[in-house]
Amino acid sequence: MNQATQLSGRVAVITGASSGIGLSTARLLAARGAKVAVLARRKDALDRLVAEIEQAGGTAMALAVDVTDQASIDAAAAAVLAAWGPANLVFNNAGLMLPGAIEENKLEEWSRQIDINVDGVMRIIHAFVPQLKQAAEQGVTVDLINTSSIAGQYIYPYFAVYSATKAYVSHLTRHMRVELGQKNIRVSMIEPGIVATELQSHVTHQGVLDWLADAARNIEFLQPEDVAEVVGFLAAQPPRVNLMQVVVMPTKQAN
C-alpha cells in the first residue's frame, strides 16, 4: 500500500500533540491518510499544527485538553465521536519529566508527574476505550499505543518518580493487552531512550543537567520523528499482529 494512503480511514487521537513526539506523530499519521485529532493544553500550537496538516492535504482537528481534567478529556472524546465516529487509534503520549533527588522532598513535582504520567494516562483510557471497543465491533483495525520510557526498565539517579510512573505505564500496557486483545483492540507501548524534545527543558537539577550535557557530547539523541515512525509502523500492521513492547534507543545509548 502507498504510504500516503496506508492509514486511510483511521481516526487517530494524539495527546501531548503540541510538541515533540506527539506533534511529529500527528504529521506522520495525517500524511499517511488518518484523520488526526490533536490534544494538548496549548491551543495556539495545535491550531498551527492543524493548519500545516490541512495545507498538506490532510485532515485534523485541534482540541484543547488538560489531561489532569477529566471533563476536558470527555468533551474532546465527544467532539471526535460527533465529527468522525469512534476513534480507532489512540496515542496516549502526554507526559512530564521533572527529575530530582528524593531527599529534596519536592512533593508538588512528584504529584505533578504522577497526575500527568499515571492519572492522565488513565483518564485518556477512561474516555476513549469505549470508542475503541465500538470501533473494534465495527470490524476495523484498532490500536491503543502508550508512551512509556526506557526509564521504566533501568535505574537512573534522580529519576525515581519519573521512572516509577513509566514503569506503571509499561506494566499497565501488558495487562491491558491481555484484556483488550480479546476484543480485537491492540495495545502497545513504546519505550524510547533519550529523545531530543522539550521535556529536557524542564530539568533544573544540576546533576541531571550535567548528565544530559555529557550524554549529548557522546550520543546522537533520537529525534521525535524517529518515534513517530514507530507509531506509524505499529498502526500499519495486519490486524492479527500486536507488537506489545517496542524499545527504541539511540545507537550509542547503552541503557
Side-chain angles (χ1 to χ4, degrees), residues 172-190:
L172 171 75
T173 302
R174 296 183 186 102
H175 282 273
M176 289 185 64
R177 193 197 70 80
V178 173
E179 290 188 37
L180 297 180
Q182 303 306 309
K183 313 236 180 240
N184 289 318
I185 299 171
R186 303 189 297 199
V187 185
S188 306
M189 61 177 143
I190 302 176

Side-chain angles (χ1 to χ4, degrees), residues 235-249:
Q237 295 306 300
R240 66 181 180 276
V241 179
N242 185 170
L243 278 73
M244 180 187 73
Q245 179 177 3
V246 180
V247 177
V248 188
M249 299 288 282

Side-chain angles (χ1 to χ4, degrees), residues 86 130-142 183-185:
Q131 292 191 28
L132 296 178
K133 183 179 177 183
Q134 183 181 349
E137 289 169 350
Q138 294 172 355
V140 302
T141 303
V142 178
K183 313 236 180 240
N184 289 318
I185 299 171

Side-chain angles (χ1 to χ4, degrees), residues 20-49:
I21 293 170
L23 184 149
S24 292
T25 300
R27 287 171 172 159
L28 182 140
L29 297 183
R32 296 185 183 176
K35 297 176 181 177
V36 178
V38 290
L39 280 58
R41 290 177 299 171
R42 293 176 289 186
K43 182 66 159 50
D44 55 343
L46 296 180
D47 287 339
R48 289 193 296 271
L49 175 59

Side-chain angles (χ1 to χ4, degrees), residues 125-208:
I125 289 167
H126 180 271
F128 283 100
V129 162
Q131 292 191 28
L132 296 178
K133 183 179 177 183
Q134 183 181 349
E137 289 169 350
Q138 294 172 355
V140 302
T141 303
V142 178
D143 289 282
L144 171 61
I145 303 171
N146 296 321
T147 300
S148 182
S149 169
I150 194 64
Q153 293 192 38
Y154 292 103
I155 307 302
Y156 299 96
Y158 311 123
F159 281 81
V161 176
Y162 176 77
S163 293
T165 66
K166 291 305 185 177
Y168 176 96
V169 171
S170 293
H171 208 48
L172 171 75
T173 302
R174 296 183 186 102
H175 282 273
M176 289 185 64
R177 193 197 70 80
V178 173
E179 290 188 37
L180 297 180
Q182 303 306 309
K183 313 236 180 240
N184 289 318
I185 299 171
R186 303 189 297 199
V187 185
S188 306
M189 61 177 143
I190 302 176
E191 296 179 320
I194 304 176
V195 185
T197 73
E198 69 174 26
L199 278 184
Q200 293 154 31
S201 69
H202 302 153
V203 175
T204 59
H205 190 278
Q206 191 58 51
V208 178

